[in-house]
Amino acid sequence: MLVAFSVAPSTSDDEGGVAPAVADAIRLVRESGLPHRTDAMFTTIEGEWDECMSLVKACVDAVAKHGPRVSLVLKADIRAGRTGELDAKLTRLEDALNEG
């Protein structure tokens, strides 16, 4: 499965930034060993249901240390028996664009 998620404290430091809290979550993603990609809006991870959801929970818990309230946005693409979709979906898209 692919899980795209965004997690951040609902309140931020005095300058309005959430980067330190988000960095704590992304550090966990990088240490997890799961295939992942982070962009300006979401982090996408690939793995089995339990390992993905466990990692999302750990990220929420890490961000919760920075404030009393956490915002989580999550979208999942669940396709049993598929692996490598983090890159394969983009390859299929590029192929379709090149055909057109």
Side-chain angles (χ1 to χ4, degrees):
M1 76 184 299
L2 295 175
V3 176
F5 71 101
S6 173
V7 60
S10 292
T11 58
S12 61
D13 64 23
D14 292 338
E15 295 180 19
V18 296
V22 173
D24 284 350
I26 299 306
R27 191 170 293 110
L28 293 174
V29 170
R30 290 181 177 179
E31 293 170 354
S32 75
L34 293 178
H36 64 276
R37 183 173 291 126
T38 299
D39 61 37
M41 296 293 293
F42 289 94
T43 293
T44 304
I45 56 177
E46 182 172 12
E48 297 297 321
W49 181 274
D50 289 342
E51 61 190 355
C52 288
M53 291 304 145
S54 176
L55 180 55
V56 170
K57 182 183 184 317
C59 290
V60 169
D61 291 345
V63 169
K65 293 177 183 175
H66 292 266
R69 194 172 190 180
V70 176
S71 172
L72 171 67
V73 176
L74 184 144
K75 181 173 180 163
D77 181 0
I78 304 161
R79 296 178 79 183
R82 300 293 287 260
T83 60
E85 290 298 299
L86 191 63
D87 293 319
K89 288 181 80 169
L90 294 175
T91 298
R92 289 191 299 273
L93 173 61
E94 290 298 327
D95 289 348
L97 289 167
N98 290 332
E99 290 173 5

